[in-house]
Amino acid sequence: METKIRIALQKKGRLNDDSMKLLKEAGIKFNVGSGKLVASSPNFPIEVLFLRDDDIPQTVADKVADIGIVGENEMLEKGFDLNISKRLGFSRCRLSLAIPKADEYKGLDYFEGKKVATSYPVILKKYFAEQKINADIHEITGSVEIAPGIGLADGICDIVSSGSTLVANRLKEVDVVMESEALLVAAPELSAEKQALLDEIIFRINSVKAANSNKYILMNVPNDKVNDILEILPGMKSPTVLPLADDKWSSVHSVIQEKKFWEIIGQLRNKGAEGILVIPIEKMIL
């Protein structure tokens, strides 16, 4: 019988969208129908469970699923012993403290003796303890941001992405408790077969991530400027230099990081490179 690995994913929302996109880019497809909570892959030995994001840590910890993609905030709040296999870099957000917009804020002492509503009491309690703040923490599930407006709390601690929800409820962000991103987590002590499947998934994800953060470039360079150009180009190992029909020119190929793209392109042009082509990389095997 073929060994399969089971992954737990958020059933809907931004984390689901980003997770499914990543797995698709990694060549893993799922037979997903409307409303299905379990799906299999026709081209990889994997099965997916679609769950609420706050149920994922326990599902993996109990080994109902072998691995999962979950927000770092949810993993820390639940406190289960899970292995972080890969930081995925998407679904970034922050867990922040916020207070009524009209209130004056001079520091964390504002929260001393105050009521704070949150869906993350474990994280917040630890944070306040570290900061030596004695606050009254009220756990609320859903619509935390309305708590100050209805007199339930003096402030809140909640997930913030754009901050538009805070503005809509006349709140202002005053302190960041933690930064969060999506994590690929695994249950402890996977079997050798399932660990091999997880390693293959991570290998594919790394290839996708490397491709997304790099660009393939090729350009025409006068032969007497090739060495100057090679000093600029980082390359994976060494740029490729090919002769052109015009024996005074060469074609130079390389890979550059997207974050350095415009800086490097400017240097290449100044050194005499012409006809620069920039090509997206679909996959990059390191």
Side-chain angles (χ1 to χ4, degrees), residues 178-196:
M178 67 167 289
E179 302 281 352
S180 178
E181 65 179 298
L183 304 176
L184 176 63
V185 298
E189 300 177 359
L190 291 178
S191 69
E193 294 83 0
K194 290 184 177 182
Q195 184 62 51

Side-chain angles (χ1 to χ4, degrees), residues 130-189:
E130 290 171 348
Q131 302 298 322
K132 296 180 172 56
I133 298 295
N134 184 24
D136 185 7
I137 299 174
H138 284 231
E139 183 177 0
I140 296 178
T141 56
S143 301
V144 173
E145 63 276 356
I146 69 170
I150 62 176
L152 187 61
D154 301 296
I156 68 168
C157 180
D158 201 16
I159 291 297
V160 178
S161 294
S162 66
S164 59
T165 302
L166 296 182
V167 172
N169 287 276
R170 299 187 177 184
L171 299 173
K172 60 183 178 183
E173 184 179 4
V174 294
D175 190 73
V176 177
V177 174
M178 67 167 289
E179 302 281 352
S180 178
E181 65 179 298
L183 304 176
L184 176 63
V185 298
E189 300 177 359

Side-chain angles (χ1 to χ4, degrees), residues 47 56 92 94 107 124 126 136 141 161 163 172 216 221:
E47 184 177 61
I56 293 174
R92 292 183 183 274
R94 56 196 181 274
L124 184 58
K126 180 181 178 183
D136 185 7
T141 56
S161 294
K172 60 183 178 183
Y216 187 82
V221 179

Side-chain angles (χ1 to χ4, degrees), residues 33 45 79 83 105 114-115 120 142-143 146 160 177 189 256 281-282:
N83 296 326
Y105 184 79
K114 296 267 197 337
K115 294 180 181 179
Y120 300 92
S143 301
I146 69 170
V160 178
V177 174
E189 300 177 359
I256 62 174
I281 302 172
E282 184 176 341

